[in-house]
Amino acid sequence: MTQPSLQALNDGGLTGSRHWEALVICSAPAFAHIGSHHGPAQRSRTTSLKMGKLRYGVQLMHEHNVAHRVCTARNIMLDPSDMYPESFHLRQDQSQKGLPPARGQALTRTQRPPRHLLIDFGLFRRYDPKDGPPLEEPLRGGDKTAPEHGDRKTPCDPLPTDVYYLGNLVRERFMQRFDGFGFIEPLIVDMVNESPAQRPNMQQVVTHFVEIRRQLGTWKLRSRIACRKSGSLACLGVAGHWPLVPNSWLSSEP
């Protein structure tokens, strides 16, 4: 999903000044960073795979020859409002030890799956297929690891770079931090291929992702993913995770 806007605000008379040719101020709902730990720490493959919906959004953009160009972790936000019926605190989450719980009763991510939103369309480009493959100079955004941006000068096709950014996001945020994501590794390896020409396009990514999802059984999806650095404490997390699973089944939660 893309970022919703609540209201456009007056620019305060700055438009037309020597410092600003035009200024539009938009107000938006409060979101959390994708790396935040809002809500009870019930981590499962089901909640993690909810991010797959982002692929559909980028696929739609690519179908219309639009490249986001900076679809990295900094530009993917989490809307946890459904997890907090009484709202939440922007600066307090469960990753900050010593702070009181975020305001209001928190539900798990399985009970109320948060929305993931793609933001920052200031650098997107739309291309005409009649002009041939699009070429853009490399951007130095939040993810500077794209192989084709190594020399920072050679123009390249931004569409395969979008694919790389999404694949690298899953690799760094999930596969390198948690155990149990081997089932999606072949797809991610393809998405972060050193050669842009060898990467799948977004339609192929989504098709492969759907096939992977269909092959996963309920127990595989519901089983808890453990942080690789948790060590022996992972056993405590597993013990606290499984009592929540029957409640999810009985309430027909995804």
Side-chain angles (χ1 to χ4, degrees):
M1 298 184 67
T2 56
Q3 177 180 358
S5 178
L6 296 180
Q7 185 179 4
L9 306 179
N10 191 294
D11 62 10
L14 293 176
T15 301
S17 70
R18 64 177 182 176
H19 299 291
W20 301 94
E21 294 182 0
L23 179 65
V24 177
I25 303 173
C26 293
S27 61
F31 300 129
H33 190 267
I34 190 177
S36 67
H37 293 76
H38 278 287
Q42 182 194 8
R43 296 194 182 99
S44 67
R45 293 166 183 81
T46 298
T47 53
S48 301
L49 288 176
K50 297 297 182 182
M51 275 192 59
K53 293 183 178 180
L54 286 173
R55 295 178 175 85
Y56 292 102
V58 178
Q59 175 200 12
L60 180 62
M61 294 176 62
H62 284 196
E63 285 180 354
H64 291 82
N65 304 300
V66 175
H68 188 279
R69 303 179 69 206
V70 282
C71 49
T72 61
R74 292 183 179 180
N75 290 326
I76 297 177
M77 305 299 288
L78 182 77
D79 179 9
S81 55
D82 288 343
M83 298 164 57
Y84 294 92
E86 300 178 14
S87 190
F88 62 96
H89 196 290
L90 287 172
R91 297 296 299 175
Q92 295 180 5
D93 61 43
Q94 293 192 347
S95 67
Q96 297 174 295
K97 296 181 180 180
L99 291 176
R103 175 184 162 193
Q105 178 66 36
L107 301 172
T108 68
R109 296 191 183 206
T110 300
Q111 291 173 316
R112 294 293 185 273
R115 296 187 303 164
H116 292 88
L117 303 107
L118 186 62
I119 67 170
D120 193 357
F121 289 83
L123 294 172
F124 85 96
R125 294 287 187 274
R126 185 172 185 177
Y127 307 97
D128 189 339
K130 297 179 182 179
D131 298 332
L135 293 175
E136 295 283 356
E137 293 185 0
L139 293 173
R140 303 298 289 176
D143 187 342
K144 300 177 177 61
T145 65
E148 56 268 35
H149 290 179
D151 63 5
R152 306 185 185 185
K153 297 179 181 179
T154 305
C156 52
D157 189 342
L159 299 179
T161 306
D162 278 356
V163 173
Y164 175 88
Y165 285 151
L166 291 177
N168 196 45
L169 171 67
V170 175
R171 178 171 62 176
E172 293 186 346
R173 296 280 172 169
F174 293 97
M175 296 175 60
Q176 293 179 355
R177 297 185 181 186
F178 303 97
D179 289 323
F181 280 97
F183 64 91
I184 203 172
E185 184 174 359
L187 172 60
I188 301 305
V189 169
D190 288 342
M191 294 176 69
V192 298
N193 193 297
E194 291 286 322
S195 172
Q198 297 300 316
R199 295 172 197 156
N201 58 39
M202 283 308 302
Q203 176 60 55
Q204 294 170 329
V205 169
V206 169
T207 299
H208 194 173
F209 179 80
V210 171
E211 292 175 354
I212 292 173
R213 173 63 181 82
R214 287 174 178 171
Q215 294 174 3
L216 297 179
T218 301
W219 284 99
K220 184 74 171 180
L221 286 171
R222 293 292 183 183
S223 59
R224 187 179 188 272
I225 56 176
C227 179
R228 293 189 173 185
K229 295 183 179 180
S230 59
S232 59
L233 294 178
C235 297
L236 298 177
V238 172
H241 168 79
W242 284 112
L244 299 173
V245 173
N247 291 333
S248 300
W249 287 340
L250 292 174
S251 59
S252 301
E253 290 165 1

